[in-house]
Amino acid sequence: NLKDITNHLLTEVGFPLLVAGNWELSARVFSFALSWPVKFVPENVWTKYCVLNAAIALNQLDRRDEALTLIKEHDWSATAPELILAVSVLRHNWDEAEILMSQMNRETPLTEDDFRNWPIFLEFRETKEFKKAFKSVFNKEFIPSLSKDDSDFINKKVPKKKATKKKVSKKKA
């Protein structure tokens, strides 16, 4: 079914590009997906995730006005709390995002890993509001995940120096 193929394409291609920080290509993939006729779109929630992911990429490409325009084109009123939080984050409304995030609990679809890894929270994670809300939800301080470069550095083996024999001078008694 074409709707399943569409969904698979975006979750297997678009989102990994976004997570990898390939902003230009992910913006193109999600913008292309949003241009498809409604009959090929799996569902309304799917469209909203496409909008959010396209807006993330546009925001990271310093095309913030385009991202905000894209968000404004959609009705977010009858939307799940995690999507309303995402919209607040994309609007850089940190105070509202803190309140929305703090009201969440461990039962929501967003996990601790989502808050750590979903690129929508990239800038929000740097704020005091995020750290405060994270502690409220998970009862612990937010500690950023290591980047690939950081973990590669930590995992590298440092070559050991060859032991050299020291000459011991013998004193005559």
Side-chain angles (χ1 to χ4, degrees):
N1 150 344
L2 192 52
K3 289 182 181 182
D4 291 338
I5 293 169
T6 301
N7 190 34
H8 181 75
L9 173 69
L10 293 174
T11 57
E12 298 299 318
V13 176
F15 193 71
L17 288 170
L18 194 67
V19 171
N22 192 333
W23 310 122
E24 185 64 43
L25 195 51
S26 60
R28 289 180 186 197
V29 168
F30 288 110
S31 294
F32 176 68
L34 290 168
S35 71
W36 294 349
V38 175
K39 67 182 180 179
F40 297 121
V41 178
E43 59 187 67
N44 191 28
V45 173
W46 178 89
T47 302
K48 290 187 180 197
Y49 274 104
C50 274
V51 168
L52 293 172
N53 289 330
I56 293 166
L58 291 169
N59 195 39
Q60 292 303 315
L61 289 167
D62 291 328
R63 293 164 53 189
R64 185 162 159 67
D65 290 341
E66 287 177 66
L68 293 173
T69 299
L70 181 61
I71 291 168
K72 286 178 190 173
E73 291 173 355
H74 296 271
D75 178 18
W76 300 94
S77 60
T79 303
E82 63 272 11
L83 298 182
I84 294 172
L85 168 62
V87 170
S88 293
V89 168
L90 285 167
R91 289 180 175 151
H92 290 180
N93 188 340
W94 305 141
D95 292 333
E96 180 179 304
E98 176 190 350
I99 292 166
L100 292 167
M101 185 175 163
S102 294
Q103 291 171 346
M104 294 186 165
N105 59 39
R106 294 172 192 230
E107 309 293 315
T108 66
L110 294 178
T111 66
E112 184 176 337
D113 283 341
D114 293 328
F115 285 112
R116 289 183 182 288
N117 301 316
W118 190 13
I120 203 157
F121 298 117
L122 192 64
E123 294 170 284
F124 186 41
R125 283 191 290 265
E126 302 297 321
T127 68
K128 67 181 182 340
E129 291 86 357
F130 175 85
K131 291 173 176 84
K132 185 176 173 186
F134 187 90
K135 185 167 185 163
S136 170
V137 174
F138 297 105
N139 293 323
K140 60 183 172 182
E141 299 294 327
F142 175 73
I143 300 171
S145 300
L146 291 176
S147 71
K148 182 183 180 319
D149 293 337
D150 292 337
S151 61
D152 284 350
F153 173 76
I154 290 169
N155 292 327
K156 281 184 182 173
K157 301 277 188 216
V158 177
K160 293 183 180 178
K161 293 183 179 180
K162 292 182 180 179
T164 56
K165 293 183 180 178
K166 293 184 180 179
K167 290 186 179 179
V168 179
S169 61
K170 297 180 181 177
K171 294 187 179 179
K172 293 182 183 178

